[in-house]
Amino acid sequence: MTPAAGTTMAQALNAALRDALDGDERVLVFGEDVGPLGGVFRVTDGLTAKFGEDRCFDTPLAESGIVGFAVGMAMGGFRPVVEMQFDAFAYPAFEQIASHVAKMRNRTRGRVELPIVIRIPYAGGIGGVEHHCDSSEGYYAHTPGLKVVTPATVADAYSLLREAIDDPDPVIFLEPKKLYWSKAQVALPARTEPFGRAAIRRPGADATVVAYGPAVPVALEAAEAAAEEGWDLEVLDLRTIVPFDDDTVVASVRRTGRCVVLSEAAGFGGVGAEIAARVQERCFHSLLAPVLRVTGFDIPYPPPMLEHHHLPSVDRILDALDRLQRDDEPDTRYLLAGGVA
Amino acid sequence: MTDRHQGGRPGPLLPSERPVRFLTDGGTPARGRHPYPEPDQELLLRAYRRMVVGRRFDAQATALTKQGRLAVYPSSRGQEACQVGAVLALDDGDWLFPTYRESVALVTRGIPPVEVLSLLRGDAHCGYDPHRHHVAPQCTPLATQTVHAAGLAYAERRKGSGRVVLVFVGDGATSEGDFHEALNFAAVFRAPVVFLVQNNRYAISVPLERQTAAPALAYKGIGYGVRSEQVDGNDAVAVLAVLGAAVAHARSGGGPFLVEAHTYRLEPHTNADDATRYRADAETEQWRRRDPIARLKAYLRRSGRLGDDEAAAIAAEAEEVAARLRAGMNADPDLAPLDLFAHVYREPTPQLAEQRALLRSELQAEEVPA
């Protein structure tokens, strides 16, 4: 069914949870305020009413407890889908995630599987106060044993969440908060490409912009602006950070010869750095310019009235593109200015 | 839903004022009142047998560290009443969530000793199949397994399996946040889980006074609405009586139960530790006189349940277990380096497949004769 006005990402996620609960009685949803309230972003709206308190329920307010409890329930044969209310509020659960969720299969040599989905609303752009806007994907992507997924479209939100719940491995499912209310005409249930495949959101010939999650719409906007300046950008949406789709990224950059990596997170030591490294390792002889990153600054997430200075903007992407054209003199801005490196 | 939050006294949740005991340090019947019936003699004799075998296993494992066959071994010498009592209080289908110090409990459960020691030998993080034995992997990050135990117990309750979960923690781990979150979750969801706190007085070197200002660790349960008790952890009769009641409480739908067992680690934290830096010999000597095996032996001797022949047979069984352990540990483990990539995800990612190929080529290069 497609509502005439379109479906929001939050509604698509809600539909994915509803269909998963409907299709498999082992699936459970729990966390803080996910019951009668329906979650602070309404992603679990109506699930308790439809499926009962045994299938979608509130827990004590303790993130480590929620994730650890999910570990035990998964060992007992359930398929928990838990919600961390906000990115930075998931940090108390990090020990459970890094030491147990990520490692259980490995430390038991495949004998104990943990099919757990940990949903985390993440990243900024919604005017949130501190501790509500972190881009925490780097912590999870750096932890072997976790799959790290982040949708940028409404159809992907549905499809990737269904796949995450079906997956035998634990999945960190990062929901870009600022896209919760983005809309598209999609017929649900929708199935898109599986985990591990990046999508070409806009084909182009002159340069590849690699983005994921909340940065994808920004990349597409920049591509439109760049087109007016005669640049034909290809925009890739990773969809899953882990597993990572080297093939699509490499094929694109070898074709275009130029690459800009876009990420809201702080740049230093982040997912963007990993992508840039992989591109230069695999595409060195095809590259016509250095691989550049456009990322958030290396600062704690700023107060809401200042966040627009921090977030990668269309202008900052266009500025990076200018530098991709350079093929003679060293660019002193590149050496002296911060922020774009 | 009835409102349980009207204030009032924690009466039925409160532990006994003194640790429950059936035996004096010398193994004679102790005075003192408590509501727990004495376990039957057959169970006590089985406990004695497993404790003797467990201590011999423990001594052999410690010896194997000196021969370089084990990377490290945390002894539970002196804690046999807890290690064995916990396992004997459960049915075979019930789950155990052990820490790294529970080797004797796992051997008592029937896991092959070589599989129990894989973690400490260093050939695998977990040598046994948790689902087969209903024993979670031995956990090293403190108290983190307590929330798993609560979750699994709730899963069992939801399935109506009648199974109970017992989770081990030490005194130090009761300071960790996860311990408190686990008690709270277990109570809220009425999960059939028994928390067994082996209070052996030291978290490596840090004494109990630095962990808590509570009158006893057992009091940590009552704030969460968890029925709690304390027991003389070197009195196997008392351990079995109280844990039996705790397990029955959980199995019958009463929710979680916390038991603090007052005991003592006679050996250092591990073979790599030097206990003389933080505790006096006189203290250790005092606890040696409260040895759980000697106490139970004296009691069973006096009651006529343990004769000379039986004692000799148990000692012989212990030697046999030690000999088998030596033989098992003297054989080099089969190591399969390429398996490093096998169980990160159910299907390796393309990146892991590449890295596996790299290691395989390194291994092949090593095999080429010089």
Side-chain angles (χ1 to χ4, degrees):
Chain A
M1 244 178 54
T2 310
T7 302
T8 66
M9 182 179 280
Q11 288 168 337
L13 294 165
N14 180 265
L17 292 172
R18 196 180 328 122
D19 292 350
L21 284 161
D22 212 21
D24 185 345
E25 62 181 17
R26 297 171 301 171
V27 174
L28 304 173
V29 173
F30 56 91
E32 297 157 2
D33 301 302
V34 300
L37 180 68
V40 294
F41 293 104
R42 303 295 181 264
V43 172
T44 58
D45 192 28
L47 300 181
T48 301
K50 181 169 169 54
F51 296 99
E53 282 193 359
D54 275 355
R55 302 292 305 285
C56 177
F57 52 90
D58 290 326
T59 65
L61 208 163
E63 292 78 12
S64 185
I66 291 168
V67 172
F69 204 67
V71 169
M73 293 211 74
M75 290 178 74
F78 288 94
R79 302 182 81 89
V81 182
V82 301
E83 178 175 305
M84 300 281 103
Q85 201 157 71
F86 282 92
D87 34 64
F89 296 167
Y91 299 149
F94 192 73
E95 183 183 20
Q96 284 292 338
I97 294 172
S99 295
H100 293 296
V101 173
K103 290 178 177 170
M104 188 66 84
R105 175 189 295 282
N106 185 259
R107 54 202 281 261
T108 62
R109 291 184 287 182
R111 286 149 168 168
V112 179
E113 285 190 343
L114 295 180
I116 297 172
V117 179
I118 301 172
R119 295 181 36 247
I120 308 176
Y122 88 121
I126 60 161
V129 297
E130 64 170 344
H131 307 302
H132 289 69
C133 299
D134 283 11
S135 287
S136 47
E137 67 270 23
Y139 308 127
Y140 305 112
H142 191 65
T143 304
L146 302 174
K147 292 180 177 172
V148 184
V149 176
T150 179
T153 69
V154 176
D156 261 357
Y158 180 91
S159 185
L160 291 171
L161 184 52
R162 289 299 304 275
E163 188 174 352
I165 295 169
D166 289 341
D167 200 281
D169 290 304
V171 177
I172 304 293
F173 195 88
L174 298 166
E175 300 170 2
K177 283 190 287 282
K178 76 171 188 188
L179 301 184
Y180 270 141
W181 303 282
S182 63
K183 279 185 182 174
Q185 300 286 339
V186 292
L188 299 178
R191 282 296 172 140
T192 57
E193 289 288 284
F195 282 11
R197 300 262 185 85
I200 300 175
R201 296 290 178 213
R202 183 190 194 282
D206 296 335
T208 300
V209 179
V210 182
Y212 58 88
V216 173
V218 183
L220 288 168
E221 203 185 323
E224 292 310 309
E228 289 169 19
E229 296 176 19
W231 276 81
D232 184 20
L233 295 189
E234 178 145 303
V235 175
L236 302 189
D237 170 5
L238 289 179
R239 305 172 65 253
T240 62
I241 297 169
V242 182
F244 186 83
D245 184 358
D246 278 310
D247 291 349
T248 300
V249 173
V250 166
S252 174
V253 177
R254 283 186 183 164
R255 240 184 312 107
T256 62
R258 294 178 169 88
C259 181
V260 175
V261 181
L262 188 58
S263 167
E264 251 192 60
F268 192 89
V271 169
E274 174 63 24
I275 298 168
R278 302 186 80 82
V279 167
Q280 68 82 17
E281 283 171 354
R282 288 162 178 76
C283 307
F284 184 76
H285 295 291
S286 307
L287 285 173
L288 303 167
V291 179
L292 297 184
R293 285 173 289 156
V294 179
T295 69
F297 296 120
D298 295 331
I299 56 173
Y301 198 86
M305 293 174 77
L306 292 163
E307 70 177 339
H308 61 285
H309 295 295
H310 171 69
L311 294 170
S313 61
V314 167
D315 283 349
R316 214 171 270 161
I317 297 166
L318 295 176
D319 189 48
L321 286 173
D322 282 345
R323 287 189 286 120
L324 289 179
Q325 300 173 73
R326 178 187 60 79
D327 57 2
D328 38 27
E329 292 298 305
D331 185 338
T332 51
R333 284 179 311 165
Y334 173 67
L335 297 172
L336 298 176
V340 184
Chain B
M1 195 183 277
T2 56
D3 187 356
R4 287 176 290 181
H5 306 98
Q6 299 291 331
R9 295 174 190 280
L13 305 174
L14 273 173
S16 304
E17 277 181 39
R18 307 290 307 163
V20 173
R21 63 185 338 210
F22 282 71
L23 302 181
T24 63
D25 291 356
T28 55
R31 284 201 297 266
R33 293 197 323 186
H34 56 71
Y36 303 96
E38 180 169 336
D40 70 58
Q41 295 277 310
E42 187 56 40
L43 180 61
L44 297 182
L45 188 64
R46 271 175 59 213
Y48 176 75
R49 175 184 295 270
R50 299 329 313 171
M51 288 163 69
V52 170
V53 170
R55 176 164 294 183
R56 185 65 189 89
F57 166 90
D58 194 88
Q60 186 60 60
T62 297
L64 285 163
T65 60
K66 299 191 173 84
Q67 296 154 26
R69 284 290 175 181
L70 279 180
V72 64
Y73 183 73
S75 171
S76 56
R77 186 181 183 88
Q79 300 178 218
E80 291 87 352
C82 299
Q83 298 272 310
V84 169
V87 175
L88 296 191
L90 297 174
D91 291 344
D92 285 348
D94 294 331
W95 276 83
L96 283 170
F97 278 74
T99 76
Y100 50 82
R101 200 179 297 286
E102 265 69 66
S103 296
V104 169
L106 303 196
V107 170
T108 304
R109 188 58 182 263
I111 301 177
V114 173
E115 292 184 18
V116 170
L117 293 176
S118 276
L119 169 74
L120 303 167
R121 172 158 72 174
D123 57 299
H125 296 315
C126 178
Y128 52 89
D129 181 346
H131 282 301
R132 182 172 165 210
H133 298 283
H134 284 194
V135 177
Q138 287 157 285
C139 191
T140 40
L142 294 184
T144 55
Q145 83 283 16
T146 56
V147 267
H148 309 165
L152 180 52
Y154 180 56
E156 296 298 344
R157 199 195 128 195
R158 286 282 298 269
K159 292 186 289 187
S161 70
R163 289 189 176 126
V164 167
V165 176
L166 185 142
V167 56
F168 293 93
V169 285
D171 41 300
T174 67
S175 300
E176 293 277 6
D178 274 354
F179 175 71
H180 295 263
E181 296 191 18
L183 283 169
N184 194 37
F185 270 69
V188 167
F189 291 101
R190 288 184 85 77
V193 54
V194 175
F195 295 84
L196 174 57
V197 180
Q198 290 175 90
N199 172 7
N200 68 13
R201 321 289 298 181
Y202 292 90
I204 303 187
S205 68
V206 178
L208 189 62
E209 307 87 85
R210 191 45 67 93
Q211 295 299 339
T212 186
L217 295 171
Y219 286 87
K220 296 199 177 194
I222 63 176
Y224 299 101
V226 174
R227 173 105 168 78
S228 302
E229 187 56 282
Q230 50 180 338
V231 62
D232 180 336
N234 283 18
D235 174 354
V237 184
V239 170
L240 280 164
V242 172
L243 283 180
V247 168
H249 171 91
R251 205 187 303 286
S252 65
F257 199 117
L258 186 156
V259 177
E260 176 192 11
H262 295 259
T263 185
Y264 195 80
R265 187 191 78 214
L266 290 174
E267 296 290 318
H269 168 63
T270 69
N271 54 297
D273 177 37
D274 176 7
T276 64
R277 293 174 75 97
Y278 55 82
R279 63 187 193 187
D281 287 347
E283 178 185 286
T284 311
E285 201 42 53
Q286 190 188 336
W287 278 90
R288 276 186 211 287
R289 289 196 291 273
R290 309 185 59 202
D291 187 289
I293 295 180
R295 282 166 78 177
L296 183 58
K297 184 178 185 180
Y299 180 66
L300 291 171
R301 281 289 209 181
R302 193 168 289 114
S303 73
R305 199 66 190 77
L306 180 68
D308 290 342
D309 291 351
E310 188 114 42
I314 291 170
E317 183 185 341
E319 286 310 316
E320 203 179 300
V321 166
R324 277 207 306 276
L325 179 60
R326 279 195 302 274
M329 297 303 287
N330 281 328
D332 288 326
D334 287 331
L335 297 176
L338 294 179
D339 280 356
L340 288 174
F341 303 96
H343 304 298
V344 184
Y345 303 94
R346 186 191 277 180
E347 300 294 335
T349 61
Q351 291 75 27
L352 287 176
E354 277 179 23
Q355 291 165 27
R356 185 180 188 278
L358 173 68
L359 180 59
R360 187 174 53 202
S361 65
E362 288 176 7
L363 294 169
Q364 282 166 348
E366 285 172 14
E367 280 168 17
V368 174

